[in-house]
């Protein structure tokens, strides 16, 4: 069975509609797909219908933006949630509501760095009525000729310490994990290799995450090198966490891995789907 438990659609910052993501996954041999739009669950119904038609399993899911300690942003993948859960939906709506003000602050920061009037341009890439992300700014800045590729825009402008990056308060970790638990889901720490944490900082995070009810970490991710996959596999074993895997696919031409392009999990791990 081929699992891909992390990807995005036009209901957040992906380039394909939920149904298109599912059909692409099915055509690439994925048996079990989780659609994990950022802070949003409204793509799941369309994805479910497409999955039924394509004969694959769709895991209702989301990727929740969380603030941790001094301006570290974490992503928590919520798997097997009830997308109708009101508390979860309210929590996600609250996170999305903060994105507009943040987008204005990003535009102001870019203006200070000599790139004016980016908000309207970024908005042209937005495919959801209330969800603007750094990806939309990045696509617009590629249009403007600021860099050739989205990932270069991130490197030069949109990551911590760079001129277009602004701090932001997302959900707290206890809140996010309570919403996930309340909606019957399993919390998985997304792409841990992306967080700028020391060894002890990572241990502290994983301990807190587990103590708050987190059940797994992404071992295989397009954000991870092979060495990081091994490292986070060991961490999962040491902390009794389950292992997950996801391409984090966003769309043609913008992703390091296509849907389903994941090697088997390293040995000795309990997959997050062990009792599904
Ligand atoms: P936001 O939730 O608005 O902060 O946007 C986060 C999204 O930006 C991530 O989910 C990725 O899609 C994208 N992103 C973050 N860092 C990078 C990077 N270094 N290169 C390309 N895309 C990135
Ligand atoms: Mn994204
Ligand atoms: Mn993420
Ligand atoms: Mn993602």
């Amino acid at each position: 069975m081929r699992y891909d438990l992390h990807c995005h659609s036009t209901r957040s910052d992906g380039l394909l509609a939920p149904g298109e993501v599912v059909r692409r996954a099915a055509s690439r041999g994925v048996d079990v797909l989780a659609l994990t739009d950022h802070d949003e669950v409204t793509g799941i119904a369309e994805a479910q219908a497409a999955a039924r038609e394509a004969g694959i399993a769709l895991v209702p899911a989301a990727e929740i933006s969380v603030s941790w300690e001094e301006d570290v942003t974490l992503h928590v993948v919520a798997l097997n949630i009830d997308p109708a859960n009101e508390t979860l939906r309210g929590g996600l709506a609250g996170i999305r509501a903060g994105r507009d003000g943040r987008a204005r602050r990003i535009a102001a920061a870019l203006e200070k760095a000599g790139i004016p009037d980016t908000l309207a341009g970024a908005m042209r890439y937005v495919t959801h009525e209330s969800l603007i992300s750094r990806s939309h700014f990045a696509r617009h800045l590629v249009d403007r000729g600021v860099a050739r590729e989205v990932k270069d825009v991130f490197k030069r402008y949109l990551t911590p310490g760079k001129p277009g990056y602004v701090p932001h308060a997302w959900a707290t970790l206890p809140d996010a994990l309570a919403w996930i638990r309340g909606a019957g889901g399993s919390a998985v720490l997304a792409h841990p290799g992306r967080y700028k944490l020391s060894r002890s900082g990572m241990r502290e995070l994983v301990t807190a995450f587990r103590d708050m009810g987190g059940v797994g970490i992404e071992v295989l991710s397009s954000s991870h090198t092979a060495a990081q996959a091994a490292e986070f596999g060991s961490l999962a074993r040491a902390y009794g966490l389950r292992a997950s895997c996801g391409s984090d696919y966003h769309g043609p031409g913008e992703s390091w891995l296509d849907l389903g392009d994941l090697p088997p999990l390293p040995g000795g791990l309990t997959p997050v789907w062990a009792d599904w």
Side-chain angles (χ1 to χ4, degrees):
M1 292 277 273
R2 193 180 282 266
Y3 288 81
D4 188 338
L5 301 179
H6 190 151
C7 67
H8 297 273
S9 78
T10 47
R11 293 309 290 161
S12 61
D13 60 349
L15 297 170
L16 305 177
E20 294 174 308
V21 173
V22 169
R23 284 186 289 278
R24 185 183 184 98
S27 75
R28 297 182 52 79
V30 173
D31 301 294
V32 182
L33 180 75
L35 179 67
T36 56
D37 276 315
H38 297 285
D39 312 320
E40 179 56 289
V41 291
T42 54
I44 293 170
E46 180 185 326
Q48 282 287 16
R52 227 171 283 128
E53 200 138 290
I56 70 169
L58 192 279
V59 178
E63 182 177 17
I64 305 182
S65 311
V66 166
S67 293
W68 169 252
E69 298 192 330
E70 303 281 302
D71 194 33
V72 176
T73 297
L74 306 175
H75 286 170
V76 176
V77 166
L79 298 174
N80 265 323
I81 42 169
D82 170 10
N85 183 276
E86 285 298 334
T87 309
L88 172 68
R89 287 178 89 104
L92 298 183
I95 306 178
R96 292 198 305 275
R99 284 180 173 272
D100 284 347
R102 172 193 185 236
R104 286 192 293 274
R105 288 185 287 122
I106 291 174
L110 287 169
E111 177 147 16
K112 254 176 132 178
I115 314 172
D117 303 322
T118 51
L119 187 55
M123 287 295 290
R124 280 199 288 278
Y125 282 93
V126 170
T127 50
H128 177 298
E129 56 289 352
S130 68
L131 198 149
I132 181 161
S133 102
R134 282 183 290 159
S135 303
H136 303 118
F137 278 93
R139 288 171 192 151
H140 169 60
L141 292 183
V142 169
D143 265 1
R144 293 265 288 256
V146 161
R148 289 223 341 245
E149 282 189 83
V150 158
K151 63 173 191 284
D152 302 323
V153 180
F154 271 93
K155 212 182 289 170
R156 284 168 49 198
Y157 290 99
L158 297 178
T159 40
K162 299 301 158 65
Y165 181 82
V166 300
H168 185 66
W170 302 103
T172 67
L173 192 58
D175 280 353
L177 293 203
W179 300 334
I180 296 168
R181 227 181 10 258
S186 305
V188 170
L189 185 64
H191 44 60
R194 285 234 313 247
Y195 309 135
K196 301 274 174 284
L197 293 172
S198 64
R199 245 183 138 69
S200 65
M202 179 58 72
R203 293 213 173 112
E204 195 188 310
L205 166 61
V206 168
T207 302
F209 179 77
R210 192 190 55 187
D211 291 350
M212 289 176 206
V215 305
I217 62 176
E218 274 183 356
V219 170
L220 300 177
S221 162
S222 54
S223 297
H224 289 172
T225 61
Q228 285 174 317
E231 175 190 342
F232 292 109
S234 303
L235 199 67
R237 278 184 224 101
Y239 283 80
L241 288 163
R242 296 187 166 197
S244 190
C245 64
S247 63
D248 208 355
Y249 183 74
H250 280 72
E254 265 193 28
S255 295
W256 283 268
L257 291 180
D258 208 319
L259 291 160
D261 273 352
L262 294 154
L265 284 174
L269 290 167
T270 306
V272 68
W273 57 82
D275 50 12
W276 289 2

